[in-house]
Amino acid sequence: MSYRTQKLSQDLSATIISTSHTNVVECSGFGERSDVFATGDSGGCIKVWDLSDYATIMSLVEKKGGAVKCLCWITNTAIVAGFADSFIRCYDAVSGKKMWEIPNAHKGVITSVATHTDQRLAFLVSGGEDGGVRVWALKNRELMIQFVEHTRKVTQVLVDVKKPNLIHSSSMDCSILTYDLIKEKRTKAHMVREGSFLSMSQRLDSEQELISVDGNGRMLFWDCDFPEPVQMLQDPARSILQEITVSPTGRYVATCGDDQLVKIFDLVDSGKLVTVGHGHSESINCLQWSPDEKQLVSVGADCCICIWNFYGNSLEEA
């Protein structure tokens, strides 16, 4: 008998063998590390996972907040989450202790959050069901500026990969808007007549185009210098594409949707479909690359988290 087994039998202490979400997993996200990611579910539970052994580093339940609809990291130290009760809350990534909260950050559900931190500026961007986009100072959580040009729910907010003074938002109102925090106004607008934008990501290579996905199974590429899309890729099955994420190098783009499949396309090779992964039994709600581009994490309505190992031309479920 091992020492660990003896100790447990003597003092009847408990140890966790495995853990999982028991509600719909709504969102996930990586910080700066490739071996740690966070997830949030419809029951208000947030978990931080270690990819080296798939164990939980931290787990908490925010009973007052309702569903965790979105989350992001502040470097590797804290997790910012947007809740269904219109609050934004921040937690220590190790202890799970609540560090601060912004009550009634929007009128309704918080749908997307993103952060930027450097030596000069640290801020949080939030998007809401009310169509608003708001920018908050991370130091004191004061509202810096807000934009209210969307007429329907904001589905994604992003801080530009090259110019952090620019932020981008996509919406169900068929528009993508770009705002300049220095000029304090909207500077670009991309619109379509039909096909609400359900998610958006940005390339780190090429011209740093924004890539949107919609209910018609289209990936539309947007260059800031042109009002119309500069490229379009069609999902082979024409399924509703609910999420999109560009890989850290910018070469690959991963999508997922109501067909329960994870699909990866090679942007360098004319958008060729590289591989398809099937691990979920219901629709996929969120998809994230690890910073080293070696793994993908997908979460879904089936309460499952799938970890995919990516080797450039094949996808294998861990």
Side-chain angles (χ1 to χ4, degrees), residues 6-312:
Q6 289 176 348
K7 182 178 179 182
L8 290 174
S9 63
Q10 289 172 4
D11 61 15
L12 300 181
S13 60
T15 182
I16 294 177
I17 298 175
S18 64
T19 183
S20 66
H21 287 280
T22 56
N23 296 290
V24 171
V25 190
E26 301 275 4
C27 52
S28 64
F30 281 88
E32 296 175 349
R33 294 176 56 179
S34 297
D35 60 340
V36 175
F37 71 98
T39 54
D41 73 23
S42 60
C45 178
I46 296 174
K47 293 180 181 290
V48 177
W49 304 85
D50 187 339
L51 273 175
S52 62
D53 57 5
Y54 309 113
T56 52
I57 300 172
M58 183 275 288
S59 181
L60 67 91
V61 178
E62 183 62 63
K63 297 181 180 179
K64 298 183 295 183
V68 183
K69 302 301 292 184
C70 53
L71 62 80
C72 64
W73 287 73
I74 301 176
T75 61
N76 290 314
T77 61
I79 297 166
V80 177
F83 285 81
D85 69 349
S86 79
F87 279 49
I88 299 173
R89 298 178 174 92
C90 180
Y91 304 91
D92 183 275
V94 177
S95 67
K97 180 182 178 181
K98 187 188 300 181
M99 301 170 65
W100 50 261
E101 66 181 18
I102 303 174
N104 303 314
H106 287 265
K107 295 179 181 178
V109 176
I110 310 298
T111 54
S112 183
V113 288
T115 59
H116 172 77
T117 57
D118 60 27
Q119 295 180 348
R120 299 172 298 170
L121 188 63
F123 62 86
L124 163 71
V125 184
S126 63
E129 194 175 48
D130 58 359
V133 174
R134 296 183 173 179
V135 183
W136 313 82
L138 277 179
K139 183 178 181 180
N140 53 19
R141 272 74 65 191
E142 290 187 358
L143 180 62
M144 298 168 57
I145 191 172
Q146 64 177 333
F147 304 97
V148 289
E149 299 192 38
H150 286 299
T151 58
R152 296 183 64 189
K153 180 178 77 172
V154 173
T155 54
Q156 190 80 53
V157 291
L158 298 173
V159 180
D160 191 84
V161 296
K162 293 293 184 180
K163 300 177 180 179
N165 62 297
L166 301 179
I167 58 176
H168 312 283
S169 61
S170 62
S171 171
M172 295 292 289
D173 65 3
C174 304
S175 70
I176 293 174
L177 304 180
T178 297
Y179 317 90
D180 191 320
L181 300 183
I182 297 175
K183 297 179 180 179
E184 298 187 355
K185 67 177 183 179
R186 172 175 60 83
T187 55
K188 300 290 180 181
H190 301 292
M191 300 181 183
V192 294
R193 293 186 177 181
E194 61 179 17
S196 301
F197 297 128
L198 302 181
S199 181
M200 175 178 64
S201 189
Q202 186 177 16
R203 296 185 68 169
L204 282 74
D205 61 346
S206 187
E207 297 297 323
Q208 290 83 55
E209 298 101 331
L210 297 168
I211 310 177
S212 63
V213 292
D214 60 24
N216 296 325
R218 298 179 302 175
M219 285 176 276
L220 299 176
F221 294 68
W222 305 92
D223 189 308
C224 64
D225 296 325
F226 300 94
E228 300 297 324
V230 295
Q231 184 181 354
M232 185 191 80
L233 294 177
Q234 180 73 56
D235 179 79
R238 298 184 179 271
S239 299
I240 295 174
L241 296 179
Q242 296 174 176
E243 288 288 328
I244 184 170
T245 178
V246 176
S247 69
T249 63
R251 175 168 182 174
Y252 301 100
V253 61
T255 65
C256 61
D258 65 345
D259 61 358
Q260 306 158 16
L261 301 176
V262 173
K263 301 172 185 177
I264 298 179
F265 300 84
D266 188 339
L267 298 179
V268 175
D269 191 8
S270 304
K272 177 184 177 182
L273 179 62
V274 174
T275 188
V276 177
H278 193 176
H280 289 275
S281 59
E282 293 188 45
S283 63
I284 302 171
N285 292 329
C286 190
L287 184 65
Q288 295 287 329
W289 288 95
S290 62
D292 63 5
E293 203 175 279
K294 293 181 178 180
Q295 291 179 305
L296 273 164
V297 173
S298 59
V299 302
D302 53 4
C303 309
C304 288
I305 302 170
C306 289
I307 313 297
W308 307 90
N309 295 325
F310 182 68
Y311 303 103

